[in-house]
Amino acid sequence: MQILDGVETAKHIKARIKQETDDWKANGGKKPHLAAILVGNNPASETYVNSKVRACEELGFESSLLRFDSNISEKELLGELNKLNDNDDVDGILVQLPLPAHISQDNVINAINPAKDVDCFHPVNQGKMLLGQPTFLPATPYGILLMLDHYNIDVTGMHCVVIGRSNIVGTPMAILLSRNGKPGNATVTLCHSKTKNLKEIALTADLIVAAIGKPKFVTADMVRKGAIVIDVGINRIEDATRKSGSRLVGDVDFEQVAPLCSYITPVPGGVGPMTICGLMKNTLTAAKHKK
């Protein structure tokens, strides 16, 4: 069993992104600029956004963080978003999800200029991805592809089971694994909470991507020996042995599943750092396309 180390892999990929960025700027290219919108003070969202800001600093990008109270109206938020759309210096825009219940997530996503939608949530970019046209790729699936490539894991001909069908991870992950590309050319089964015989399907998988948002959902009796397991989940559970009273676990029961695997990602330290890499690569691409 080999751990797919997202922290170490991200260091290698960030080094390449930084070199590409330095070369781009040395040849007259503009400094990539990522603008992030954070509504409210959700601790997890704070952590995610801060990690993105730190990555920008590390890579020589410019970043802007716009913070708003959770009681901001949808109209006001859309107005702030339009200012970023109109700002030629801003290359990439991300709105940290989730948003407060009174704000329509769809309305906000649809309002982002697709050319600046570095999270690839906008329907235009999702549609281009589905059709195999040049576009940004959703950050987490993109990061997973980068990890597979880094470890020289060829999924061609594999049966990949994706558990979870969100538009952020599960559905685009299934599309990207099945497309004619590298990594790609896998046969993909997309499963979810309503799937019948999920255990039996998972047992046929060469690769499992767990992105269902339920702690330790994938158990040892769902994984065949030698399978590759990518755990996208980040769940906080109670743990009286920890000073904080809680700890992070994935959607996979790591302790029981890991001995069965040829490769497996840990939580934390697996997919999370790779998501940042995907976002940074998209932001650099956005900056280059504006010259």
Side-chain angles (χ1 to χ4, degrees):
M1 181 270 293
Q2 182 175 352
I3 296 292
L4 297 173
D5 189 333
V7 176
E8 286 301 314
T9 304
K11 287 180 182 178
H12 291 284
I13 293 172
K14 283 181 179 177
R16 294 202 297 269
I17 297 172
K18 187 176 189 308
Q19 184 61 59
E20 186 179 349
T21 302
D22 290 344
D23 293 344
W24 164 251
K25 291 189 291 186
N27 287 305
K30 74 178 293 295
K31 189 176 186 180
H33 184 174
L34 176 66
I37 289 178
L38 179 61
V39 180
N41 55 1
N42 180 293
S45 293
E46 290 272 2
T47 299
Y48 297 151
V49 168
N50 288 336
S51 65
K52 293 164 185 174
V53 170
R54 286 195 302 271
C56 286
E57 294 172 357
E58 182 182 346
L59 298 177
F61 290 16
E62 184 176 350
S63 66
S64 301
L65 176 55
L66 287 72
R67 295 175 175 269
F68 301 104
D69 290 336
S70 58
N71 60 0
I72 187 174
S73 71
E74 181 177 308
K75 182 178 180 181
E76 289 172 318
L77 183 60
L78 291 175
E80 295 294 335
L81 190 52
N82 285 330
K83 291 178 186 177
L84 295 178
N85 283 336
D86 294 336
N87 185 343
D88 286 339
D89 187 57
V90 173
D91 303 300
I93 300 170
L94 70 87
V95 179
Q96 187 62 49
L97 304 177
L99 293 168
H102 68 280
I103 298 176
S104 166
Q105 179 173 300
D106 286 344
N107 288 346
V108 170
I109 289 171
N110 292 346
I112 299 173
N113 179 349
K116 299 186 179 186
D117 170 40
V118 289
D119 261 332
C120 190
F121 291 164
H122 195 283
V124 167
N125 290 330
Q126 292 251 335
K128 287 182 176 180
M129 176 191 64
L130 178 63
L131 295 171
Q133 298 178 5
T135 187
F136 303 119
L137 299 180
T140 296
Y142 193 8
I144 292 170
L145 295 183
L146 292 170
M147 174 178 276
L148 293 172
D149 184 64
H150 178 79
Y151 280 91
N152 294 313
I153 297 173
D154 186 0
V155 301
T156 299
M158 284 189 182
H159 180 209
C160 298
V161 172
V162 178
I163 305 175
R165 55 181 168 179
S166 76
N167 292 330
I168 296 173
V169 181
T171 297
M173 190 77 254
I175 292 167
L176 293 171
L177 286 170
S178 64
R179 70 176 181 172
N180 186 9
K182 185 178 182 300
N185 290 308
T187 299
V188 181
T189 302
L190 180 60
C191 298
H192 44 79
S193 59
K194 302 294 192 296
T195 300
K196 295 180 180 179
N197 304 319
L198 178 54
K199 173 184 170 182
E200 288 77 7
I201 295 170
L203 281 169
T204 68
D206 300 300
L207 184 151
I208 294 174
V209 179
I212 199 166
K214 296 181 179 181
K216 300 187 177 185
F217 179 85
V218 176
T219 50
D221 61 348
M222 298 171 66
V223 180
R224 71 169 185 79
K225 189 170 180 59
I228 301 164
V229 174
I230 307 292
D231 190 350
V232 182
I234 302 178
N235 310 284
R236 188 169 293 278
I237 64 171
E238 293 182 3
D239 187 343
T241 67
R242 301 290 180 95
K243 186 176 181 180
S244 63
S246 65
R247 63 187 172 96
L248 292 178
V249 300
D251 289 355
V252 176
D253 187 346
F254 183 87
E255 289 77 10
Q256 299 300 317
V257 170
L260 297 169
C261 298
S262 56
Y263 297 91
I264 188 171
T265 59
V267 175
V271 171
M274 301 307 303
T275 297
I276 302 295
C277 290
L279 180 67
M280 295 298 111
K281 283 182 73 68
N282 281 342
T283 302
L284 178 55
T285 297
K288 286 187 169 185
H289 283 173
K290 286 179 67 176
K291 185 172 180 180

